[in-house]
Amino acid sequence: MASSPIAEADAIQLLETLVAIPSPPRQERDAVRFLVDWMAGRGLAAAPDDVGNAVGIHGVGPREILLLGHIDTFPGSVPVRREGGLLYGRGTVDAKGPLCAFAAAAASVLPPSEWRITVVGAVEEESVTSRGARHIAASRGNGPPAAVIVGEPSRWDRITLGYRGSVELRLGLRAPFAHSAGPAPLPAERAVELWQAVQDFVADLNQGRDDGEFYRFAAALRSIRTRDVGAFGEASVHIGLRLPPDASLSRLRRELSGALRNRVQSWQAPGAALGVRFSGGQEAWRASKSTPLVRALMQSIRAEGGDPRFVVKTGTADLTIVGPAWPSTPMAVYGPGDGALDHTPDEYVDLDEYLRSIRVLIRTLEDLSS
């Protein structure tokens, strides 16, 4: 396969410009249009798809290598700036860095006649909907891709094979007031008690699980909001749950709902009521490392001077959407950047690492389609 890598300055300009375009979930349109135009200007057939994903296709062959990144970012602004070889900005790591590396690599190769490379900047990955990835998984009517690389930060010399599952829990509590000088808990304190009940439930599930965080349940308190309504108080509690590979979503929903309702009933507080709502459930997924895709990535990392390593992540990613949809397709997660900087106010990527990841991806694409 002939290749003509794009200039490093062009790849860096792509990332810096895309990062400067705000694109939180459901506000990705401007970023999508820019990326589509960039890919179209470098030989890819590019356009937004039916749900707003940025899609660029290089080649026309029946065998497909899918590079699935996401173009939305965690909310919040991080001023875009260069400090030496570091580029700061929201999305430099999670995950416009990996997405731009995909686009630059795809534009740098010429697939043989029987192959095509598809780059996707998916929308709403940072939301429980994962709308972009779900559309991609459902729209391959002519069969699954031959290989999939999901774009998330793993550092240029590491390959991620698995992510935990997730589900969102929202509680709506109504509880009677009591005098603040008395012994009975106030409605806001009842809401905190429910959060503690979730923590206790998760701790019980984790008994005997000593194989690392990837194989454990976890709960995170996203928010608690309270308000006074006459003689009652109302509270909304938002909790995120992370699930290990052997977790059953249906069982978790059923047993956790029961435990929380039993807790409210034990209060014997007249008029107390609890609403329980789960959303965005996705089970964990772990890919095999014994595939041509993983071998190609490892060889490419070594060719760039690295010592490839495997990791699994305790968060979630679109791998948990497309993995179960195409269980026989070789998959891996790859991209530049330190995942510890995800969602932080100091998010940045080392541009040398970003350029190295592009070179790794170019070699990998050439190897897979040769």
Side-chain angles (χ1 to χ4, degrees):
M1 180 194 338
S3 63
S4 179
I6 68 170
E8 292 184 351
D10 192 10
I12 291 173
Q13 187 61 52
L14 164 65
L15 176 60
E16 190 164 1
T17 304
L18 190 61
V19 166
I21 303 172
S23 57
R26 302 177 187 85
Q27 299 177 44
E28 304 99 336
R29 181 176 297 178
D30 290 345
V32 166
R33 174 48 58 192
F34 168 75
L35 181 58
V36 163
D37 289 347
W38 189 93
M39 291 190 292
R42 286 154 184 83
L44 281 69
D49 68 10
D50 292 342
V51 299
N53 295 325
V55 180
I57 303 174
H58 204 182
V60 296
R63 304 193 69 189
E64 179 185 33
I65 302 171
L66 175 61
L67 306 179
L68 176 61
H70 69 88
I71 200 164
D72 66 320
T73 67
F74 188 75
S77 176
V78 177
V80 180
R81 66 189 190 279
R82 294 269 293 272
E83 292 186 4
L86 307 181
L87 176 65
Y88 286 79
R90 178 60 81 221
T92 51
V93 172
D94 187 21
K96 290 179 178 178
L99 174 58
C100 289
F102 283 177
S108 298
V109 299
L110 180 61
S113 59
E114 67 271 24
W115 285 90
R116 70 185 188 276
I117 300 168
T118 301
V119 179
V120 175
V123 298
E124 297 184 27
E125 192 274 349
E126 296 288 355
S127 141
V128 297
T129 58
S130 294
R131 188 182 185 206
R134 291 185 190 279
H135 176 74
I136 293 298
S139 63
R140 290 300 189 273
N142 56 348
V148 177
I149 305 178
V150 177
E152 293 285 349
S154 65
R155 308 306 297 248
W156 77 272
D157 57 352
R158 299 198 305 180
I159 302 166
T160 302
L161 294 177
Y163 279 83
R164 284 193 296 187
S166 67
V167 67
E168 300 286 305
L169 170 62
R170 286 177 169 81
L171 306 177
L173 174 66
R174 184 176 185 268
F177 269 109
H179 198 288
S180 60
L186 297 173
E189 294 172 306
R190 297 290 196 189
V192 174
E193 185 178 338
L194 290 178
W195 161 237
Q196 183 61 58
V198 173
Q199 291 181 297
D200 293 342
F201 180 86
V202 166
D204 288 342
L205 291 177
N206 284 331
Q207 289 294 324
R209 291 176 174 268
D210 300 322
D211 294 331
E213 199 63 24
F214 182 74
Y215 298 96
R216 295 171 62 84
F217 292 83
L221 179 61
R222 303 289 178 81
S223 66
I224 291 183
R225 296 183 175 89
T226 62
R227 65 171 185 158
D228 300 346
V229 185
F232 288 82
E234 293 182 346
S236 299
V237 185
H238 180 195
I239 297 168
L241 295 162
R242 304 291 186 178
L243 317 177
D246 61 339
S248 165
L249 271 170
S250 59
R251 181 179 178 183
L252 177 76
R253 293 187 184 107
R254 181 178 66 254
E255 294 184 355
L256 182 51
S257 295
L260 292 170
R261 295 186 193 282
N262 289 340
R263 179 65 67 96
V264 172
Q265 290 176 2
S266 72
W267 296 341
Q268 297 183 345
L274 177 67
V276 179
R277 180 168 64 90
F278 290 93
S279 62
Q282 190 61 43
E283 295 182 345
W285 182 260
R286 180 165 184 163
S288 171
K289 63 181 180 181
S290 300
T291 66
L293 168 61
V294 172
R295 288 194 292 272
L297 279 167
M298 292 176 65
Q299 292 167 1
S300 298
I301 290 169
R302 291 191 182 105
E304 190 59 30
D307 181 16
R309 292 167 289 162
F310 296 110
V311 296
V312 291
K313 297 288 189 71
T314 58
T316 54
D318 281 338
L319 177 70
T320 63
I321 305 293
V322 296
W326 305 317
S328 298
T329 297
M331 295 190 188
V333 182
Y334 180 76
D338 180 358
L341 297 172
D342 291 5
H343 303 183
T344 68
D346 295 317
E347 188 175 355
Y348 69 86
V349 70
D350 184 313
L351 292 174
D352 179 66
E353 179 179 353
Y354 166 64
L355 295 173
R356 279 190 165 200
S357 73
I358 294 172
R359 294 193 291 269
V360 167
L361 287 164
I362 290 172
R363 287 191 180 95
T364 299
L365 294 174
E366 291 176 338
D367 188 1
L368 285 174
S369 58
S370 64

